[in-house]
Amino acid sequence: MAKTWATKCCSGTYKNNYQLCCGIKGKIQYIGAACLLLGGMSACTAGYEEMNTNPDKVTDDMLDRDNLRTGGSISAMQMDIIPCSDEGANAFQRAQNLVGDIFSGYMAASDNWNSSSNNQTYNLRFGGWSDVLFSIAYQNVMPQWKKVSTEQIKNEEPVTYAIGQVLKIAAMHRVTDAYGPIPYFKFGESLMIPYDSQEKVYESFFNELTEASEILEQYATENPSARPLKGYDLVYEGDVSKWAKFANTLMLRLAMRVVYVKPDWAQKYAEQAVVHSKLGVMTSNSDNALLHSHNGITVYHPLNVVWDMYKDARMGASMESYLKGYKDARISKYFSQATEPAGDYHGMRNGIIVDNIEGYRALSCPNVQKSDPVQWMCAAEAYFLRAEGALRQWNMNGDAQELYEQGVRTSFEQHGAALGNYLTDDTAQPAKFEDKVGNNSAAPRSTITPVYDSAAGFETNLERIITQKWLAMYPEGMEAWSEFRRTGYPKIFPVVTNYSGGTIDTEKQIRRLPFPQTEYDNNSANVNQAISLLGGADHGGTPLWWDKK
């Protein structure tokens, strides 16, 4: 099983970081947790010794001071859009790294838990790993959203309300895109929450984002220099115009997600985000949504712990194939060179029997340091989404080629990599993967080049756009996995060993996570109803509602 974070973290390198070791609980004990989360701020510390007050019995007056009540909820939600609190890196590893990061082809796991019968080889019930994304959303994120989603907050603090809506959708689209139907509309009404269809959830996402965007855009237009929630916002430090652009770009992302099942929704909301909103979508790297340390709250990137302390994550074979084949200068920004064989970048196949742990651990590691921000979304993604929309003849304020090329340039600029002749070298193709440890070398699965060809067919240029979007979104593997399932691109290597018992097609690859065992144990009637909404068996081979290409 993946390492237990508390035993790894609370001594050694991170022992002085309470936030990372012991978690920002953001659950029922929120009052005490908020003061721990925001411990460096005067709202929690001013006069504390004189008052001699137990932090679990903080008064309402203290919580209302400096917006701590609502600001603390915003901070707590932000810490678990991509899991960075609670159990620290252990939760991140099971909810993100051993799910989207490996299913997308970005990385591979170099450990051999359960004799290599685990998520990586499609044994999705091992260790409860597939349950963690679900539990974090419903134990950490949604309770905090309830605190800022009331009519009173909407009337008195509309920006807080709108940002809370955006954060909820940023978290919950990851959940529904992993499982399918989810409990949504009746959250908080009872312990046994019914599930809602993914179609209805997505319909609500678009309505909620429309409302949130309007609130944020109006406020930003009328109050351009105001920074509400500045002390608590770990992404944009209270810049409401940036939040509006993020909301619009999130709408664009989700609009494209439904293009093969609801093409009318897709075009409507994509054009609403890009053309009809006041502030539009992300256009520069200064718009990127990055969770970072701010105002006394320390954010450590949990992927650093996974690859460095745990030594469990290494470069995926598909990333090696594309980056090396394209002579892509981002390779050194994304990964470190292998230590054995030294002097080059080497990855590993997914779904292998790991019979030489030390050999695989010597391969290229993710070049993610503990102080690096955690990326939710980048401007390059927005350009590639618009490029796909333009390819589909939608109004995206630009044509497909220029938007595609600007997406590539924006990604290279983000990482400080030299572009060179990347957009003109039409001989560059994905390279053969050479396994340096085992016997799993493989020919490339694609011949797509980075050079846009306006004369090529729709699917050729779609593959080109999605391949570059996949490269640009690294290391956000959950979104990369969703886009692979939606489009079939990029063409990534399948698992070598498939322990799904025939439920997951090796070539089609994994389509979803099964519902958590805890839901079968504690909410059985509703989870069985969810299976009927899913439209197929509860296993990793059943496609989601939007997975219809």
Side-chain angles (χ1 to χ4, degrees):
M1 185 174 178
K3 281 77 170 175
T4 300
W5 173 248
T7 61
K8 287 287 183 180
C9 179
C10 291
S11 62
T13 306
Y14 303 100
K15 65 182 179 181
N16 294 320
N17 184 8
Y18 181 88
Q19 175 180 307
L20 207 54
C21 289
C22 302
I24 301 169
K25 287 299 179 187
K27 300 180 185 176
I28 296 174
Q29 298 297 328
Y30 168 70
I31 293 175
C35 282
L36 292 172
L37 171 68
L38 305 168
M41 299 181 186
S42 60
C44 279
T45 60
Y48 177 82
E49 292 182 359
E50 290 79 6
M51 294 171 65
N52 194 28
T53 302
N54 186 321
D56 289 330
K57 297 180 181 179
V58 177
T59 66
D60 285 345
D61 180 67
M62 291 174 65
L63 284 173
D64 288 332
R65 193 182 306 157
D66 297 333
N67 291 326
L68 176 59
R69 187 191 304 273
T70 54
S73 288
I74 294 299
S75 299
M77 289 180 74
Q78 290 177 341
M79 290 295 291
D80 276 314
I81 303 301
I82 294 176
C84 293
S85 71
D86 203 343
E87 297 177 64
N90 184 248
F92 170 89
Q93 184 177 26
R94 292 173 294 158
Q96 169 88 18
N97 186 248
L98 293 169
V99 184
D101 291 353
I102 61 172
F103 297 156
S104 66
Y106 278 169
M107 301 173 217
S110 52
D111 214 326
N112 64 352
W113 308 280
N114 196 38
S115 301
S116 293
S117 180
N118 52 59
N119 272 20
Q120 186 159 244
T121 51
Y122 295 164
N123 175 5
L124 302 178
R125 287 297 184 189
F126 168 69
W129 294 359
S130 297
D131 299 2
V132 180
L133 176 67
F134 189 97
S135 65
I136 288 175
Y138 289 103
Q139 292 176 11
N140 293 15
V141 178
M142 290 296 280
Q144 299 307 329
W145 165 75
K146 288 290 284 187
K147 295 176 185 291
V148 298
S149 64
T150 65
E151 282 298 314
Q152 180 180 354
I153 296 297
K154 183 177 180 179
N155 292 330
E156 296 177 0
E157 300 180 48
V159 169
T160 301
Y161 168 84
I163 292 176
Q165 293 290 84
V166 174
L167 289 172
K168 177 189 69 167
I169 295 165
M172 298 311 294
H173 91 76
R174 293 162 52 85
V175 180
T176 188
D177 289 345
Y179 298 96
I182 57 170
Y184 194 71
F185 296 108
K186 294 187 178 181
F187 174 82
E189 295 184 10
S190 67
L191 293 176
M192 307 303 176
I193 312 173
Y195 282 63
D196 301 291
S197 71
Q198 192 171 39
E199 179 178 3
K200 291 296 184 183
V201 170
Y202 259 77
E203 183 178 29
S204 184
F205 284 167
F206 292 127
N207 292 333
E208 291 168 321
L209 282 172
T210 296
E211 178 192 43
S213 174
E214 289 173 353
I215 292 171
L216 295 168
E217 290 189 330
Q218 179 178 348
Y219 186 93
T221 302
E222 296 175 354
N223 307 276
S225 61
R227 295 292 182 269
L229 297 172
K230 180 178 180 180
Y232 309 93
D233 179 5
L234 309 181
V235 180
Y236 293 123
E237 300 181 15
D239 189 331
V240 180
S241 65
K242 301 290 188 186
W243 276 108
K245 289 184 179 182
F246 175 65
N248 292 332
T249 311
L250 183 58
M251 181 184 291
L252 176 60
R253 171 193 281 182
L254 299 183
M256 201 62 73
R257 186 84 87 244
V258 303
V259 71
Y260 290 108
V261 66
K262 285 284 188 179
D264 53 337
W265 287 11
Q267 182 172 0
K268 173 186 175 180
Y269 290 110
E271 291 182 348
Q272 178 177 313
V274 175
V275 181
H276 303 304
S277 61
K278 291 180 181 178
L279 297 177
V281 297
M282 296 175 175
T283 56
S284 74
N285 286 313
S286 64
D287 297 329
N288 294 349
L290 307 171
L291 183 77
H292 61 274
S293 299
H294 171 59
N295 204 23
I297 306 172
T298 301
V299 175
Y300 284 163
H301 203 307
L303 180 56
N304 173 261
V305 178
V306 175
W307 75 255
D308 187 14
M309 183 183 291
Y310 295 175
K311 304 186 186 303
D312 288 343
R314 294 299 181 261
M315 177 192 229
S318 294
M319 284 297 278
E320 178 184 339
S321 174
Y322 283 95
L323 289 170
K324 291 176 79 169
Y326 291 162
K327 302 177 181 63
D328 194 316
R330 289 173 293 185
I331 194 169
S332 64
K333 311 298 181 179
Y334 289 179
F335 297 98
S336 63
Q337 291 188 348
T339 57
E340 180 61 41
D344 201 354
Y345 300 90
H346 298 294
M348 61 182 291
R349 289 283 299 274
N350 278 304
I352 63 172
I353 304 300
V354 179
D355 53 7
N356 182 354
I357 292 178
E358 293 308 313
Y360 288 111
R361 286 180 172 173
L363 300 177
S364 293
C365 304
N367 187 8
V368 174
Q369 308 310 311
K370 66 179 183 180
S371 60
D372 288 347
V374 179
Q375 178 173 295
W376 294 354
M377 182 182 286
C378 60
E381 179 188 345
Y383 280 111
F384 293 121
L385 287 164
R386 291 169 63 192
E388 180 179 348
L391 186 66
R392 296 180 182 279
Q393 304 301 309
W394 302 346
N395 183 357
M396 293 284 103
N397 281 340
D399 67 36
Q401 180 171 349
E402 68 183 18
L403 291 167
Y404 165 83
E405 292 178 349
Q406 186 57 46
V408 173
R409 284 191 288 268
T410 301
S411 179
F412 274 76
E413 290 167 4
Q414 177 185 352
H415 298 286
L419 183 64
N421 65 346
Y422 196 84
L423 291 171
T424 57
D425 181 5
D426 59 8
T427 65
Q429 295 182 357
K432 178 182 179 180
F433 169 68
E434 300 283 358
D435 190 347
K436 299 298 181 180
V437 179
N439 298 304
N440 298 297
S441 298
R445 298 177 69 82
S446 173
T447 58
I448 200 71
T449 74
V451 180
Y452 198 89
D453 181 3
S454 58
F458 177 90
E459 281 298 321
T460 298
N461 279 326
L462 179 63
E463 179 183 358
R464 183 171 282 115
I465 291 167
I466 302 300
T467 299
Q468 287 300 319
K469 181 163 70 169
W470 177 79
L471 289 169
M473 291 190 300
Y474 174 86
E476 213 301 81
M478 292 298 288
E479 183 60 21
W481 177 40
S482 290
E483 286 296 85
F484 166 75
R485 288 176 288 160
R486 177 179 74 88
T487 65
Y489 305 125
K491 296 177 181 177
I492 62 177
F493 295 114
V495 296
V496 176
T497 303
N498 184 335
Y499 285 144
S500 72
T503 60
I504 302 174
D505 185 292
T506 299
E507 282 298 315
K508 290 182 180 178
Q509 305 189 34
I510 181 171
R511 314 312 290 182
R512 62 179 292 273
L513 296 180
F515 293 121
Q517 184 60 46
T518 52
E519 285 290 282
Y520 281 100
D521 295 340
N522 303 316
N523 195 20
S524 58
N526 286 319
V527 79
N528 283 315
Q529 182 254 351
I531 295 172
S532 68
L533 294 174
L534 180 64
D538 182 22
H539 57 58
T542 298
L544 301 182
W545 163 74
W546 49 253
D547 184 3
K548 292 292 188 292
K549 185 176 179 182

